[in-house]
Amino acid sequence: RQELLKWNGWGYNDSKFIFNKKGQAEFTGKRYRLGGMVLPTFKEWIEKTFGASLEHKTTSRASLNVNDVPPSIVNEEFLQDLRATKISYSQDAEDRVFRAHGHCLHEIFVLREGMFKRIPDIVVWPVCHEDVVKIVELACKHNLCIIPFGGGTSVSSALECPEEEKRTIVSLDTSQMNRILWIDEKNLTACVEAGIVGQDLEKQLAESGFCTGHEPDSMEFSSLGGWVATRASGMKKNIYGNIEDLVIHIKMVTPRGIVEKNCQVPRMSTGPDIHHFIMGSEGTLGVVTEVTIKIRPVPEYQKYGSVVFPNFERGVACLREVAKQRCAPASIRLVDNAQFQFGHALKPQVASIFTSFLDGLKKFYITKFKGFDPNILCVATLLFEGDREKVLQHEKQVYDIATKFGGLAAGEDNGQRGYMLTFVIAYLRDLGLDYYVIGESFETSVPWDRVLDLCRNVKERIVRECKEKGVQFAPLSTCRVTQTYDAGACVYFYFAFNYRGISDPIHVYEQIERAAREEILANGGSLSHHHGVGKLRKRWMKESISDVGLGMLRSVKEYVDPNNIFGNKNLL
Amino acid sequence: QKELTSKKRDEFEDILEERRLSSDLRYAMKCYSPVIYKGLSPCKPSAIKSAVLQSEQVQYVIKQLAKELGESPDIIQEEAMEILDEMGHSMQLGAVRFFAFTLSKIFKQLFQRVCVNEEGMQRLQHAIQEHPVVLLPSHRSYVDFLMLSYLLYTYDLALPVIAAGIFLGMKIVGELLRRAGAFFMRRSFGGNRLYWAVFAEYVKTMLRSGYAPIEFFLEGTRSRTAKTLTPKFGLLSIVMEPFFKREVFDTYLVPISISYERILEESLYAYELLGVPKPKESTSGLLKARRILSDNFGTIHIYVGQPVSLRTLASGRINRCPYNLVPRHLPQKPSEDIQEFVSDVAYKMELLQIENMVLSPWVLVAAVLLQNLPAVEFELLIEKTLWLKGLTQTFGGFIEWPDNLCAKKAVLSGLTLHSNIARLVDGHVVLNDKGAEEGAIGEMVFKRALSILMCATYRNQLLNVFVRPSLVAVALQMTHSFRKEEVYSCFTFLRDVFVDEFIFFPGISLKDFEEGCFLLTKCDAIQMSQQEIYPTDKGNVTVSFLSAMFRPFVEGYQLIFRYLSKEIKEAFTEKQFIPGVRNFVFQLLEKGTTQCYEALSSDMQKNALAALVQLGAVMKKKMSNGFTYSVNQEAVSKILDVFDARMPVQKPVAARL
């Protein structure tokens, strides 16, 4: 699997954005719908938005320089004990570097141009729960540090090794624990090993006609255990729920022993739910090995959709109304104008004159006939799921609400492309990096009445901070309302800028990101909706959950892991 | 230490010059298309009113009141509507043009020049487009807001909406002003929750929407003494709230200093300070004032300060999120943090106003004259005025001395303009207290007090520039000691006593002391060592002058304190206090035991009382019919002892020196 993936960027080796010989943008590979297509307007968009130019290029090192990699320091007694367990392991430099990072900008930047100060000393691959128990026992015996590793898609610096860690760091890779142990069709649950990756889980469940419906944007790469450890959220949570709604039972190996419940029931009143100590613990307490998760029959029918609104305010008002009436489709997202234009730039070359004519007509209708300003309007993308009849009925209900807020239906195609974009957008950063453009996404959750203020202020803050920090080109600062709840929404920001002329872009980037987070908090937003805290956002934990709250979490950590075996230093 | 003299200030342009050359009518009918806030969605005044009425904030209070009073919400809603109609503005271009025309005529008649820093106007223009703007002018005259609106019109900027606590009695003019963008607040509505809710929401709605710049006076009312009044915080905290709640990204606060070479209301103010009731503001009163149209009021200087970003001020100070846990529409008492911040901002803005306030040569003349009563030789006056000019500039005062004008001419032109205050007789300049020699002794004292208070109005413009070094000088003389520690203790004591008299940034006594010492060192008046401060040989003149400048306050406060400690035995109200202390001082003046005419000023009397309340020497209690005061005799006589140098100042922590 490691072979299939990029060592210094996002996703699969064969999938990436390139500029072809004609200078047009193209997405390679066959894995995505966009694969092999030419994107004629994309280059212009990049140039216009970032002031980037194809002539100014930076290149990453072609491969890892093994000599730079910190040496692996593992004591021989532990190795002997480990060998006795027959669990496979590796001290190979590439294996260790691969597990030394997540996908934060600074991590990727280090991969391209430098080297981490501290990386795991050894990687182990348990294949089952018992293996994990053995490894944790050995770690306790030899006083080692374990950092669990699932899909490696963290964006909170959670996988970075603490520089000052003197003990041997063991990267516990759960990827070989990837079986579905059983499926219980009567209760609609499945017990799954925690290392399974999202898309494999769905594929295998689909063979029996089921799905979990949990689809985070990283689902191609992220693992079930990772979802639990970070309190993940899926795109279709409106139907299936977030990870905390999906999980029925968790088995976790800790230095104190195994934590689990005595039954698999939908709800129990036995004091605070111990699952909630585990979910969001970010690898600080132990390794999640097996999870019983709810499953559903694969939906009969799926339909995409999209609605154009005259402006963002109306769009948010519509989403709020949809949430109020509790009729949100599987997914409903509202992108602002900048992101709408971005999506537009990724439109592939159209096959026939007829489609191009239709597109033109549509555009004419919306901008000229309906008077929407193309520089203000915004788009909501929709995904409906269920049986056909109900979907159609549901669709009508949502479109009716949208009409009340000045929305115009804008077709299935636009909707589908919107969702596809969330998967390929991660690849875009690698292209940007080649042309002096750095960027990242971050997210928050916020009460409904503050959504507009928060979006406006955070975007403005980013623009201002860029100016103050000497960024020469206006940044891309854009957001979407990506989940709706009864009491609020999840907002997702993309932020990128051209760093030509700045000597320390990563530092500047981090300052701006930090300012943006301060702004979010000042606007009544949360520290994180689903990315988690890791080490990146630790400094705000106290202010987020109060001193006492932090003390509660600490005391759990102290009891469960008094010697800090799980020493990744996340969260607390 | 910051460099005070080299501060760069903008050049002035006379806006009346153009008006004297071209048609006022054409000017009034010119194409007026001001730049607007980038996030503005244009709307009519009536739309704003209904938005306010329907807002969650106002609706919440209406429902609360309905529940508490057992009345139907509709009735209270109607009440709210009436409040809104009473206060709301209805800006109309027609009225604006009418004003542009008539004001052109009137201003040209009254004033020689109206000078404005154009760069300030340009900065303002940028600010208006970027974020909501709050204009914070100084308040010396009714002319202030007329002039400011006139100015913005002239420069094609959006006319401000003005929170004015006045004119409710003037039907026609009131209505006209309303159409020119003024909105009105009752002078006191502390207890009326509905009024407060409607008013606050009205202001905030206009601010949030960026509808127009909002203008109000930090000082709350016209300063009768031309000395900046301590700020009021209510309105300021209203306009800051949308930022605290992050309903706007930022808000610009723009301090504006308007100074008059001769204040329109000067004699009215003097009468008022002496307790002769002022005429109520009524349209007919205004018409009577027409005769002043034939008078000359010299030059007005308007300095539009650098817009100050509220976000920048708040950064690092208010980073907690006090409004996150309660819905934003619920009325909420601001936290102590925020109250303190609002107060700091208010003082900062007033200090900026003071810093950019233009001082005319006459201000210097008045200051010299008041120290040399009853008469001063003309040549000496010129010499002293020139000397004071240098000193003022060293202290950072902003003097506009007409180009190349020799000192003699400058003083003469001041005397001409202010012939009602002072005149030249046989080579001597004397106060113009005609009739003071004849008549009963009471009459004489009154007339003399009148001209001294009028004259003081001009000297007062210097005081806030001089207060830090001067209080060091006073402290030096009071302590009879050169020990820095003792001087500082005395300085702190004086600063506490005069806290309502002059503008001090809250809490930074040590910094103020250091600044005072620094300025005195800079003009070679004192020398400092690690432990000691002592006047230089030639510095004695400066130190004496500075302390004489503030002597009326030192003596005046002593008189007032003495009245409180000797004459008063039981609780009293402010209404009883003012005439009481006035009579007391009046009698002393008649007897000739004091020369401190300024102690007759009701402004000083009120400030002194307020200072004692803050020092804990007088208790202030709220009763059904207002406040009553009761004196702690022991505490007051202790304070008096310090003044009489019979007792050293209780040492504050001076270790940090």
Side-chain angles (χ1 to χ4, degrees):
Chain A
R1 185 169 173 79
Q2 196 176 323
E3 276 81 69
L4 283 176
L5 303 180
K6 288 198 194 75
W7 71 275
N8 65 348
W10 177 264
Y12 299 107
N13 269 324
D14 57 8
S15 304
K16 62 183 170 208
F17 284 94
I18 55 157
F19 286 106
N20 63 21
K21 282 171 201 141
K22 282 191 267 173
Q24 283 178 316
E26 205 179 309
F27 192 68
T28 62
K30 294 203 173 84
R31 292 174 191 272
Y32 299 91
R33 215 167 68 100
L34 207 57
M37 294 217 218
V38 171
L39 315 164
T41 55
F42 187 60
K43 183 180 152 209
E44 192 195 325
W45 179 81
I46 283 204
E47 288 171 344
K48 206 178 94 197
T49 311
F50 297 107
S53 123
L54 296 194
E55 282 131 47
H56 298 279
K57 204 173 165 183
T58 68
T59 33
S60 162
R61 278 195 301 243
S63 65
L64 189 65
N65 186 350
V66 178
N67 298 327
D68 292 346
V69 177
S72 158
I73 298 164
V74 186
N75 85 34
E76 193 51 37
E77 288 161 45
F78 167 66
L79 279 181
Q80 270 173 17
D81 284 350
L82 185 62
R83 275 184 216 116
T85 62
K86 303 253 165 40
I87 296 169
S88 61
Y89 71 91
S90 160
Q91 288 174 271
D92 173 73
E94 277 179 34
D95 289 341
R96 291 188 296 122
V97 169
F98 190 83
R99 285 158 187 81
H101 66 87
H103 280 271
C104 286
L105 175 71
H106 65 269
E107 295 171 314
I108 300 302
F109 217 75
V110 166
L111 282 175
R112 287 168 63 101
E113 300 191 354
M115 183 39 65
F116 300 104
K117 291 213 176 77
R118 188 76 170 89
I119 66 166
D121 295 294
I122 181 167
V123 182
V124 296
W125 282 276
V127 297
C128 61
H129 172 76
E130 283 69 29
D131 281 356
V132 175
V133 174
K134 284 179 204 157
I135 293 168
V136 173
E137 270 169 12
L138 283 183
C140 290
K141 179 179 164 197
H142 294 278
N143 190 26
L144 313 177
C145 169
I146 298 180
I147 298 185
F149 181 92
T153 55
S154 145
V155 282
S156 59
S157 301
L159 287 169
E160 264 177 75
C161 300
E163 272 175 41
E164 65 284 358
E165 180 60 69
K166 296 280 184 303
R167 300 172 294 181
T168 295
I169 297 181
V170 181
S171 176
L172 190 154
D173 186 324
T174 59
S175 61
Q176 304 311 306
M177 301 166 34
N178 56 7
R179 292 165 299 168
I180 295 179
L181 297 178
W182 46 255
I183 293 175
D184 176 350
E185 299 192 12
K186 290 205 185 75
N187 295 309
L188 286 177
T189 56
C191 183
V192 188
E193 286 185 313
I196 195 166
V197 167
Q199 65 178 352
D200 296 344
L201 175 60
E202 290 304 62
K203 215 180 285 163
Q204 288 174 41
L205 283 176
E207 285 165 15
S208 325
F210 293 105
C211 68
T212 64
H214 186 69
E215 292 186 15
D217 290 354
S218 61
M219 71 171 294
E220 303 160 281
F221 310 105
S222 58
S223 69
L224 173 58
W227 300 340
V228 170
T230 55
R231 289 183 69 88
S233 167
M235 183 180 96
K236 298 193 289 195
K237 71 96 194 154
N238 291 338
I239 293 182
Y240 301 97
N242 287 319
I243 195 71
E244 67 271 21
D245 310 307
L246 285 166
V247 159
I248 293 294
H249 184 262
I250 302 171
K251 202 190 237 180
M252 177 164 80
V253 181
T254 77
R256 274 277 170 197
I258 293 157
V259 52
E260 58 183 331
K261 292 184 184 176
N262 74 321
C263 53
Q264 313 200 67
V265 291
R267 183 175 195 276
M268 57 204 272
S269 176
T270 46
D273 191 341
I274 54 164
H275 283 169
H276 285 284
F277 289 125
I278 299 170
M279 286 187 285
S281 61
E282 304 192 356
T284 57
L285 298 178
V287 187
V288 176
T289 54
E290 288 169 16
V291 179
T292 305
I293 190 165
K294 290 198 239 174
I295 55 173
R296 300 284 306 162
V298 171
E300 169 195 320
Y301 186 61
Q302 253 198 349
K303 193 172 181 192
Y304 289 97
S306 65
V307 183
V308 187
F309 290 97
N311 57 43
F312 193 64
E313 289 75 14
R314 302 284 277 166
V316 170
C318 174
L319 261 64
R320 204 282 160 266
E321 183 60 28
V322 167
K324 200 185 212 166
Q325 297 193 18
R326 293 208 172 156
C327 64
S331 169
I332 177 167
R333 287 174 171 177
L334 179 77
V335 303
D336 69 359
N337 185 265
Q339 222 169 112
F340 159 74
Q341 299 206 10
F342 172 38
H344 222 68
L346 284 176
K347 229 177 180 169
Q349 202 161 32
V350 281
S352 70
I353 300 175
F354 182 64
T355 12
S356 122
F357 174 72
L358 269 187
D359 277 352
L361 209 61
K362 223 187 289 173
K363 193 172 160 192
F364 178 80
Y365 176 71
I366 287 175
T367 58
K368 295 286 167 353
F369 193 69
K370 282 288 175 180
F372 285 21
D373 181 341
N375 293 311
I376 296 179
L377 63 82
C378 72
V379 180
T381 57
L382 309 162
L383 171 61
F384 297 90
E385 246 182 48
D387 49 77
R388 198 185 153 84
E389 210 171 299
K390 274 191 191 145
V391 162
L392 296 177
Q393 209 182 332
H394 193 178
E395 192 185 15
K396 184 173 179 315
Q397 189 187 4
V398 172
Y399 281 116
D400 282 350
I401 295 174
T403 313
K404 279 190 202 133
F405 292 89
L408 288 177
E412 274 181 72
D413 191 52
N414 279 319
Q416 193 172 4
R417 202 173 54 247
Y419 287 102
M420 185 244 341
L421 275 184
T422 42
F423 290 104
V424 300
I425 202 166
Y427 288 95
L428 257 182
R429 185 171 70 194
D430 296 327
L431 178 77
L433 279 168
D434 286 341
Y435 295 95
Y436 291 93
V437 174
I438 52 179
E440 183 98 276
S441 60
F442 51 92
E443 42 74 41
T444 187
S445 49
V446 57
W448 276 116
D449 69 315
R450 300 178 198 237
V451 169
L452 283 176
D453 287 333
L454 181 131
C455 290
R456 180 196 59 230
N457 291 343
V458 172
K459 287 195 277 184
E460 171 106 31
R461 178 75 181 262
I462 288 172
V463 171
R464 278 228 183 168
E465 292 284 333
C466 280
K467 216 189 238 168
E468 271 168 39
K469 301 280 173 336
V471 175
Q472 320 240 324
F473 305 87
L476 172 70
S477 166
T478 156
C479 71
R480 68 165 187 255
V481 178
T482 200
Q483 285 292 6
T484 63
Y485 292 87
D486 287 349
C490 167
V491 181
Y492 208 94
F493 293 90
Y494 289 113
F495 152 47
F497 63 86
N498 181 338
Y499 69 85
R500 250 166 43 221
I502 297 177
S503 59
D504 190 356
I506 292 302
H507 181 65
V508 168
Y509 171 81
E510 279 171 352
Q511 282 180 314
I512 297 170
E513 188 189 359
R514 187 174 156 187
R517 181 58 62 182
E518 300 271 359
E519 192 62 37
I520 286 175
L521 296 174
N523 278 274
S526 64
L527 188 51
S528 171
H529 170 264
H530 59 274
H531 282 176
V533 176
K535 289 179 270 288
L536 194 62
R537 285 176 275 272
K538 250 165 95 165
R539 73 172 107 232
W540 292 291
M541 269 301 272
K542 195 167 112 182
E543 134 177 33
S544 290
I545 62 168
S546 83
D547 267 334
V548 177
L550 205 56
M552 289 160 86
L553 296 186
R554 276 209 186 102
S555 60
V556 169
K557 164 83 179 168
E558 265 157 41
Y559 174 77
V560 172
D561 183 17
N563 296 319
N564 197 26
I565 300 299
F566 288 90
N568 60 15
K569 295 250 172 106
N570 289 340
L571 203 60
L572 299 174
Chain B
Q1 274 290 2
K2 55 178 179 171
E3 191 56 49
L4 286 166
T5 43
S6 66
K7 222 168 291 153
K8 264 179 82 182
R9 286 183 175 113
D10 309 334
E11 296 289 313
F12 285 104
E13 279 309 309
D14 179 11
I15 58 165
L16 284 189
E17 201 176 303
E18 164 82 26
R19 294 274 44 75
R20 293 193 205 280
L21 296 175
S22 65
S23 152
D24 288 333
L25 193 61
R26 199 178 308 140
Y27 162 77
M29 300 313 291
K30 74 173 179 169
C31 168
Y32 173 64
S33 55
V35 294
I36 50 170
Y37 173 53
K38 63 177 179 199
L40 176 74
S41 37
C43 58
K44 291 206 183 96
S46 58
I48 288 186
K49 280 188 194 173
S50 70
V52 170
L53 208 57
Q54 295 311 321
S55 69
E56 283 172 307
Q57 286 81 342
V58 170
Q59 285 299 323
Y60 175 82
V61 174
I62 288 177
K63 274 184 204 135
Q64 284 293 88
L65 286 173
K67 218 185 284 169
E68 281 168 33
L69 304 172
E71 271 192 76
S72 116
D74 295 344
I75 294 177
I76 297 174
Q77 168 113 0
E78 238 163 76
E79 226 175 286
M81 190 70 206
E82 277 163 27
I83 292 173
L84 209 50
D85 282 336
E86 174 194 291
M87 102 178 114
H89 75 89
S90 51
M91 201 191 282
Q92 285 172 359
L93 199 55
V96 171
R97 294 195 191 285
F98 170 78
F99 268 102
F101 180 75
T102 40
L103 287 179
S104 293
K105 295 285 182 217
I106 294 173
F107 288 160
K108 278 191 287 188
Q109 194 63 233
L110 285 175
F111 305 109
Q112 285 168 348
R113 294 185 305 152
V114 173
C115 297
V116 180
N117 64 328
E118 283 205 328
E119 282 168 68
M121 297 307 290
Q122 279 157 18
R123 288 193 295 256
L124 183 59
Q125 185 179 3
H126 285 292
I128 286 175
Q129 293 170 66
E130 226 180 314
H131 298 298
V133 165
V134 179
L135 304 176
L136 300 170
S138 59
H139 203 11
R140 301 286 171 271
S141 164
Y142 282 146
V143 177
D144 289 328
F145 60 85
L146 295 175
M147 184 54 84
L148 205 51
S149 293
Y150 181 77
L151 184 64
L152 292 179
Y153 177 79
T154 305
Y155 280 88
D156 219 9
L157 294 179
L159 288 184
V161 288
I162 308 154
I166 43 168
F167 284 128
L168 280 176
M170 296 166 75
K171 279 268 154 53
I172 303 165
V173 176
E175 196 48 41
L176 264 175
L177 286 171
R178 209 186 276 281
R179 291 192 184 166
F183 64 99
F184 303 110
M185 61 195 280
R186 293 181 192 159
R187 280 234 168 99
S188 60
F189 49 89
N192 190 337
R193 271 155 67 198
L194 185 64
Y195 192 89
W196 176 255
V198 172
F199 179 76
E201 192 49 31
Y202 187 60
V203 174
K204 285 187 277 187
T205 303
M206 288 192 289
L207 183 99
R208 278 192 292 253
S209 65
Y211 175 78
I214 290 175
E215 174 184 328
F216 65 90
F217 301 102
L218 275 172
E219 295 167 274
T221 178
R222 292 169 300 159
S223 166
R224 268 62 168 175
T225 57
K227 199 157 49 61
T228 303
L229 303 173
T230 49
K232 304 275 182 295
F233 306 126
L235 258 166
L236 188 64
S237 66
I238 290 179
V239 297
M240 284 163 80
E241 207 184 273
F243 169 72
F244 292 145
K245 293 184 172 172
R246 294 300 194 274
E247 291 162 339
V248 296
F249 183 78
D250 199 353
T251 303
Y252 275 130
L253 306 176
V254 185
I256 298 174
S257 319
I258 308 177
S259 62
Y260 297 86
E261 202 176 1
R262 186 175 164 210
I263 297 165
L264 210 60
E265 295 101 323
E266 55 177 8
S267 65
L268 271 180
Y269 288 160
Y271 276 105
E272 206 183 307
L273 289 173
L274 290 171
V276 179
K278 68 164 185 172
K280 248 201 148 186
E281 289 128 4
S282 65
T283 308
S284 58
L286 195 80
L287 290 177
K288 273 180 215 147
R290 254 181 12 167
R291 65 187 163 77
I292 57 168
L293 275 178
S294 54
D295 224 337
N296 177 5
F297 289 88
T299 301
I300 300 181
H301 282 98
I302 305 170
Y303 194 97
V304 179
Q306 183 83 37
V308 179
S309 146
L310 181 54
R311 177 174 274 268
T312 311
L313 289 177
S315 85
R317 283 221 29 192
I318 311 282
N319 42 16
R320 302 291 299 172
C321 323
Y323 294 99
N324 281 0
L325 289 178
V326 180
R328 292 183 293 181
H329 68 271
L330 296 192
Q332 207 183 336
K333 197 170 186 280
S335 67
E336 268 174 37
D337 262 14
I338 290 203
Q339 288 181 31
E340 196 188 302
F341 177 66
V342 171
S343 150
D344 285 359
V345 170
Y347 275 98
K348 189 185 164 86
M349 289 300 132
E350 288 203 342
L351 287 167
L352 286 171
Q353 284 175 3
I354 290 167
E355 189 182 306
N356 293 326
M357 185 77 83
V358 164
L359 306 166
S360 68
W362 169 251
V363 165
L364 308 173
V365 174
V368 175
L369 186 59
L370 278 175
Q371 289 196 23
N372 293 279
L373 290 178
V376 56
E377 221 179 292
F378 185 54
E379 295 301 327
L380 185 67
L381 179 66
I382 292 169
E383 186 190 318
K384 284 253 183 191
T385 302
L386 260 183
W387 171 81
L388 185 55
K389 179 188 169 205
L391 192 64
T392 309
Q393 281 168 335
T394 313
F395 290 172
F398 186 4
I399 297 181
E400 266 290 294
W401 195 277
D403 280 339
N404 306 322
L405 195 60
C406 75
K408 189 175 170 183
K409 276 194 184 147
V411 174
L412 269 179
S413 95
L415 281 170
T416 318
L417 190 63
H418 297 276
S419 57
N420 57 332
I421 295 178
R423 63 203 158 110
L424 190 58
V425 183
D426 306 331
H428 283 72
V429 175
V430 295
L431 273 189
N432 195 357
D433 46 1
K434 256 186 222 151
E437 275 75 35
E438 310 114 48
I441 182 137
E443 185 105 338
M444 275 166 58
V445 170
F446 184 81
K447 288 211 165 135
R448 196 155 179 79
L450 209 55
S451 45
I452 286 184
L453 284 186
M454 251 160 46
C455 195
T457 306
Y458 294 95
R459 176 216 52 202
N460 282 350
Q461 299 179 26
L462 281 181
L463 294 181
N464 274 308
V465 176
F466 275 67
V467 68
R468 287 160 198 81
S470 294
L471 288 192
V472 174
V474 175
L476 266 171
Q477 296 200 331
M478 267 175 71
T479 48
H480 303 296
S481 156
F482 299 133
R483 283 174 45 81
K484 207 178 188 180
E485 222 173 275
E486 277 176 53
V487 178
Y488 174 59
S489 298
C490 186
F491 175 89
T492 307
F493 165 78
L494 290 168
R495 191 181 180 274
D496 289 345
V497 168
F498 291 131
V499 70
D500 282 322
E501 199 69 52
F502 309 110
I503 304 302
F504 299 104
F505 193 84
I508 53 160
S509 180
L510 182 61
K511 248 185 156 177
D512 281 344
F513 178 68
E514 280 169 352
E515 189 183 319
C517 291
F518 167 75
L519 292 174
L520 286 177
T521 330
K522 207 167 124 187
C523 63
D524 291 326
I526 58 164
Q527 279 186 323
M528 292 215 290
S529 69
Q530 206 64 13
Q531 306 290 334
E532 297 198 314
I533 299 178
Y534 41 90
T536 58
D537 292 341
K538 65 170 196 166
N540 265 323
V541 182
T542 313
V543 170
S544 307
F545 180 88
L546 292 179
S547 110
M549 189 182 223
F550 283 75
R551 186 161 303 133
F553 295 93
V554 175
E555 283 180 18
Y557 271 55
Q558 278 174 283
L559 286 177
I560 295 161
F561 293 169
R562 199 158 295 141
Y563 165 75
L564 284 172
S565 88
K566 297 248 169 72
E567 307 283 314
I568 289 223
K569 299 290 171 250
E570 45 198 37
F572 58 94
T573 62
E574 195 183 276
K575 273 202 183 120
Q576 296 165 319
F577 165 71
I578 300 284
V581 71
R582 187 189 301 134
N583 284 336
F584 174 76
V585 176
F586 210 86
Q587 281 166 17
L588 292 181
L589 284 166
E590 279 180 336
K591 275 187 234 156
T593 26
T594 180
Q595 288 299 314
C596 185
Y597 285 85
E598 292 186 44
L600 285 174
S601 155
S602 58
D603 183 67
M604 183 185 291
Q605 294 155 1
K606 284 179 202 162
N607 289 339
L609 183 63
L612 287 184
V613 171
Q614 288 206 27
L615 291 169
V618 166
M619 304 301 145
K620 186 174 174 184
K621 253 192 242 141
K622 195 172 174 158
M623 307 294 262
S624 57
N625 54 346
F627 292 103
T628 64
Y629 300 82
S630 53
V631 181
N632 176 345
Q633 298 293 350
E634 203 184 325
V636 175
S637 47
K638 251 190 195 162
I639 293 172
L640 270 170
D641 285 348
V642 178
F643 269 119
D644 298 341
R646 269 188 300 225
M647 209 180 71
V649 185
Q650 294 266 313
K651 269 183 202 138
V653 197
R656 286 164 301 152
L657 277 171

